[in-house]
Amino acid sequence: MRFMFAAILFCGCSREQTKPQPQMREYNWPIMGTTANLILADDGVDAEKAVGIAKEALEEVNSKLSVFVPTSDASKLNANLGCDYTTYHSFEMIIRSFYFNKITDGAFNPMVAPLVELWGFHRGGEKYDFPPPAEAVSNTLKRCGIEMLHMEHDIYGDDEGNTWCENTIFISAGGRIDFGAIAKGYAVDVAYEELRIAGCTNFLMNLGGNMRASGTREWKIAVRNPLKGVDDEPLEHITLTNGMAVATSGGYEQFHERDGVRYCHIIDPRTGYPAQGVEQVTVIANDAMTADALSTACFVLGAEASKKALAECGASALFVVKNPDGSLRLERIGDFW
Ligand code: AMP
Ligand code: MG
């Protein structure tokens, strides 16, 4: 398996270059299997405090949503222990997962975890000769429906006339959940909100290519060429302004190769096979969670079939597709262009 990170490069630039610019301060730290990167462009913001806030926010989300943290809500759900309503982040993720699953006609599906593992990604390993036999794929696919995920609402009342609602989340036996396609974007949004509440105005929060910009500056983001290295000439530049977010999904991030065929880590939940046809997709949205969820779904759907979900979210996308002669073609969807 090969891992390649940092689908996007970035640089900050200001709208008013003539004014003296506050110094950029940049901080990096490892989390969620990737690197968090915070660029502060505020004068006078206590950088140590800001980094502390961002770190805490990302760590909190990770502690609840990561399948690699044994005590997380996701791990409890996967162990069929259920999960009560007090776990706000997982509640939010489940609600959002149902929504993105619906608007992408099933292309976004966090219940695809058993297939991700069958194809030898994450903790699955290669149990079968690779690629796995068709029968194993179709049997595993049966355990990956979104209907394996349940959310129940119970209304309670007491003698004094108080009523309250409790939500319980659980997964049918054999199912497994994985928030890998949405959790990083969501974590960026949580950090973004916390930083804003603390008074940070001009900053860029980036978690492994899931980015959200804040403030009056314009942030120029370089979209990587999927056929080249991260330091090579970018394919395109995207300018983010206040509140906007971007995420990229690419088949080169994690993959296995057999007999000249590349099997990537994004699975088409409709077939059970790794998605094919798109090299890379970058989504620009009004929040990082939407950009993250849609970039994965658009990778599965391709440009044409993604239009509906992108329009529903007011998002735009840059698809990178390979022509038969091996050259790359860019397809732009949405109002951003
Ligand atoms: P991303 O890098 O955001 O595109 O997310 C990819 C990760 O999401 C994979 O490594 C899997 O853990 C998970 N995943 C794969 N296919 C899907 C899918 N169709 N829907 C939701 N999650 C998926
Ligand atoms: Mg994603």
Side-chain angles (χ1 to χ4, degrees), residues 165-211:
C165 174
E166 287 187 4
N167 305 298
T168 313
I169 305 163
F170 63 96
I171 288 174
S172 300
R176 286 177 67 78
I177 199 159
D178 170 8
F179 294 118
I182 189 172
K184 290 193 188 75
Y186 175 70
V188 166
D189 286 337
V190 173
Y192 171 93
E193 297 296 347
E194 295 293 335
L195 286 164
R196 299 270 300 191
I197 289 166
C200 296
T201 314
N202 284 299
F203 62 87
L204 184 75
M205 184 71 237
N206 174 11
L207 180 58
N210 296 275
M211 302 182 193

Side-chain angles (χ1 to χ4, degrees), residues 189-251:
D189 286 337
V190 173
Y192 171 93
E193 297 296 347
E194 295 293 335
L195 286 164
R196 299 270 300 191
I197 289 166
C200 296
T201 314
N202 284 299
F203 62 87
L204 184 75
M205 184 71 237
N206 174 11
L207 180 58
N210 296 275
M211 302 182 193
R212 191 155 179 201
S214 170
T216 52
R217 301 177 75 89
E218 292 184 341
W219 297 90
K220 199 174 168 196
I221 312 295
V223 179
R224 155 190 183 168
N225 182 330
L227 301 185
K228 297 189 177 166
V230 282
D231 295 327
D232 285 307
E233 182 70 12
L235 263 187
E236 170 103 2
H237 285 97
I238 287 172
T239 302
L240 294 187
T241 52
N242 192 24
M244 288 170 71
V246 68
T248 293
S249 290

Side-chain angles (χ1 to χ4, degrees), residues 291-322:
D292 192 3
L294 287 187
S295 72
T296 309
C298 290
F299 189 90
V300 171
L301 291 170
E304 193 55 38
S306 295
K307 283 181 179 166
K308 186 178 68 121
L310 288 164
E312 163 89 22
C313 297
S316 298
L318 176 71
F319 287 82
V320 185
V321 186
K322 214 187 238 181

